[in-house]
Every structure is written in C-alpha cells, then in structure tokens.
Amino acid sequence: MKKFLLMIMIMMGISACGSGSNLTKVDIVEASKALDAEFGNMSKVNDDELESIYQIDTNLMEEYVIKASDSANGNLYAIILVSEENKNEVKKQMNNYFEILVEQNALYSPEAVNLLENYLETSIGNYLIYLSSDDNEATYNIVKEHTN
C-alpha cells in the first residue's frame, strides 16, 4: 500500500511539473502601460482593420493587445493569449501581418521597414509576443517584468 501511495505521489509531482509552463501569465494591461510609456504615442490597432485589411481572426485570441506607433515609425507590439490549438494559426496570421506592414511602408519609410523586418517573435507560456523596436531585447525585458 505504501508503494502504491508513493507511486501516486510521484505521478502527481511529475504532472504538476509538466504543466508549469501553462501557469505562466503575462499581465497584458500592465505590460501594455509600460510599453506605451517606453514607446510613447501608441494606439491600439482597430479590430476591424485587423480583420478586414490584415486577415487576422481575433476570435482565435483569448486576450490580446496590438498597438502601433502613431508616427508610423515601425514601433509596434502585440501580446496575445491563445489556446494551444490556435497558436500556429495565429502565428501564421501575425507573420502575414508583418509582411503587409513592410509592403505598406516600403515606399515612404525605410527606417520603419527595417524595424518591421527585424521584429522579435517569441512566447511566454501561451502568450505570443511580437515586438518591433530599435531594441527588441530591452522591450522584451519590459514584458518579462510583467510576467508571473
């Protein structure tokens, strides 16, 4: 009986360790406030634009914020909570989003194109993180400060 209970405890311990990555949370609201303070002059990308112009299905996202610079300088960030089954589709749609942004900026803003072509794509648990800035690593550190 003791061996049986020990086995159950070990299995529960293994299960708890294996699911730890899904427990990681990004405080999207606070991270967004901190990123806005870092970038300055950021506006939320309109949901209708995301869907009609960029073919991003926001229904695949559980929670999200996507903001771009008002001055169209290439600064942009997105923090998106997705379920595991929607993760790959949202990644594909976001990659397409950046391709469209590069095309839109190609004629009038080579600086923005440079930032947009060199965006950072990463994840924290089930949160997809997209950053386009002069220093993506520093910007990512701001997001990590609002992770628990």
Side-chain angles (χ1 to χ4, degrees), residues 81-133:
L81 175 60
V82 295
S83 63
E84 195 61 42
E85 62 264 10
N86 292 332
K87 193 177 264 188
N88 287 333
E89 181 60 29
V90 172
K91 282 182 179 184
K92 187 172 95 176
Q93 291 177 8
M94 288 300 293
N95 288 329
N96 184 57
Y97 175 57
F98 277 93
E99 289 174 12
I100 293 170
L101 290 174
V102 166
E103 289 174 16
Q104 289 175 339
N105 286 277
L107 292 176
Y108 64 91
S109 183
E111 297 84 13
V113 168
N114 184 49
L115 292 182
L116 293 165
E117 287 180 333
N118 295 298
Y119 70 93
L120 172 69
E121 175 186 20
T122 190
S123 62
I124 299 173
N126 282 342
Y127 293 84
L128 300 176
I129 313 293
Y130 295 87
L131 304 165
S132 174
S133 70

Side-chain angles (χ1 to χ4, degrees), residues 52-69:
S52 64
I53 297 171
Y54 303 108
Q55 282 76 54
I56 294 177
D57 184 356
T58 58
N59 293 318
L60 298 176
M61 304 171 185
E62 295 178 19
E63 183 181 1
Y64 66 95
V65 61
I66 301 173
K67 288 191 173 183
S69 171

Side-chain angles (χ1 to χ4, degrees), residues 3-18:
K3 286 184 180 182
F4 178 74
L5 289 174
L6 182 60
M7 284 289 276
I8 290 175
M9 290 176 63
I10 290 172
M11 295 302 284
M12 288 175 62
I14 291 171
S15 297
C17 291

